Amino acid sequence: MNYLNLNISTLRAPEFLGSDPVARATWLCVVGYCIDQENNGRISDCKQWKDRQWQQTCGITLDELNASAPLLDWDGQDLVVWRYPLAHQAKCEINRANGKAGGLSKSQAKIEAARINGAKHKPSEDPSEDPSETEASTQHKIKKGKDKVRVKEGGAEGSALSDEQWLAGLAKDPAFVGLDVTREFGKMSAWCSVNRKQASRRRFINWLNRAERPMAAPGAVTQDTFGSVRPGLEAW
């Protein structure tokens, strides 16, 4: 126990009030030692302790101890402390045991949950599968992924197109008229390589949307994003 818990009735009992102040202080020192040791208010086999040992253990002298009855009394070789808070010690021991048991059960539950989740996510192993074939298939997939820009967007139709087909489609898109799509793709790829970014199709679309279009020559007729014909600057 980490603190002294005394009922107020203990301090108002005739035995305590009838003792002199030194006996009360001596009793309090011994109670503090017993609470720290959680020994149920009984110091075993201490009848032969010398004065120095009592000073080092409880902070009292042997003469003070002998003058503290009935607050401190002898039972054979054991010193018994009057009104020691036995109920409080028992409560602390129960709470400590329950807390330890609860902590262990929670830890076991977490371990079991982690084991179950690990089993769910662990890929099954087919004993009939040739390890060399599996490794070759994996390497092929890695190589294939490096040869293409990772497709993150574009839907099922966009994913089915190769990079060349996809870029050719963008070059014909009215939204990007006036842009050299192939050249812009090369610029974006170089930028991604330097900045360690993923050259995805969505990134390239954003790149094109921010790209500067060359100004139309005087008198030229252009189309806007929606296909509307717009005259050149000279016509204005």
Side-chain angles (χ1 to χ4, degrees):
M1 295 185 288
N2 295 323
Y3 57 91
L4 179 61
N5 187 358
L6 294 177
N7 194 301
I8 193 66
S9 62
T10 299
L11 303 180
R12 307 308 300 168
E15 294 89 343
F16 186 82
L17 294 177
S19 301
D20 61 67
V22 175
R24 298 176 192 173
T26 302
W27 171 81
L28 187 60
C29 290
V30 177
V31 169
Y33 169 77
C34 293
I35 287 177
D36 181 62
Q37 299 297 312
E38 294 187 11
N39 58 10
N40 296 312
R42 178 182 290 266
I43 304 178
S44 302
D45 299 324
C46 62
K47 184 74 172 180
Q48 304 302 322
W49 284 9
K50 304 299 183 182
D51 185 78
R52 183 66 174 173
Q53 192 167 359
W54 282 110
Q55 293 181 31
Q56 294 176 339
T57 303
C58 300
I60 63 174
T61 64
L62 183 58
D63 290 339
E64 291 170 342
L65 173 64
N66 292 330
S68 297
L71 301 181
L72 300 173
D73 206 354
W74 292 101
D75 181 14
Q77 296 294 316
D78 300 345
L79 181 69
V80 179
V81 179
W82 173 78
R83 291 283 185 97
Y84 177 82
L86 288 171
H88 183 64
Q89 178 178 324
K91 181 179 179 181
C92 289
E93 291 173 349
I94 293 173
N95 291 341
R96 189 181 299 126
N98 291 339
K100 183 177 180 180
L104 290 175
S105 62
K106 290 181 180 179
S107 299
Q108 292 297 329
K110 289 181 180 179
I111 294 172
E112 182 64 18
R115 185 189 67 79
I116 294 174
N117 291 333
K120 287 181 179 178
H121 295 289
K122 184 177 180 181
S124 59
E125 298 180 357
D126 186 356
S128 63
E129 186 175 314
D130 187 350
S132 61
E133 293 181 0
T134 303
E135 182 177 358
S137 176
T138 302
Q139 293 298 328
H140 174 70
K141 291 179 180 178
I142 294 175
K143 184 176 183 301
K144 184 178 180 181
K146 289 182 178 179
D147 292 339
K148 284 190 174 184
V149 177
R150 183 181 299 173
V151 179
K152 293 184 179 179
E153 302 82 18
E157 183 179 354
S159 301
L161 297 176
S162 65
D163 289 344
E164 292 77 11
Q165 293 172 330
W166 185 69
L167 291 174
L170 291 179
K172 298 177 182 179
D173 194 322
F176 305 121
V177 170
L179 292 175
D180 187 339
V181 174
T182 303
R183 181 170 177 269
E184 293 294 335
F185 183 75
K187 289 166 62 178
M188 185 207 68
S189 299
W191 183 89
C192 289
S193 177
V194 171
N195 292 279
R196 298 180 180 179
K197 301 292 185 179
Q198 177 63 42
S200 65
R201 294 187 176 185
R202 171 174 289 184
R203 185 183 297 278
F204 184 52
I205 294 295
N206 293 335
W207 180 282
L208 290 177
N209 289 331
R210 293 194 300 267
E212 294 184 2
R213 290 172 172 78
M215 295 184 63
V221 177
T222 60
Q223 289 183 339
D224 60 18
T225 302
F226 302 99
S228 302
V229 176
R230 297 188 291 113
L233 295 176
E234 188 177 82
W236 293 95

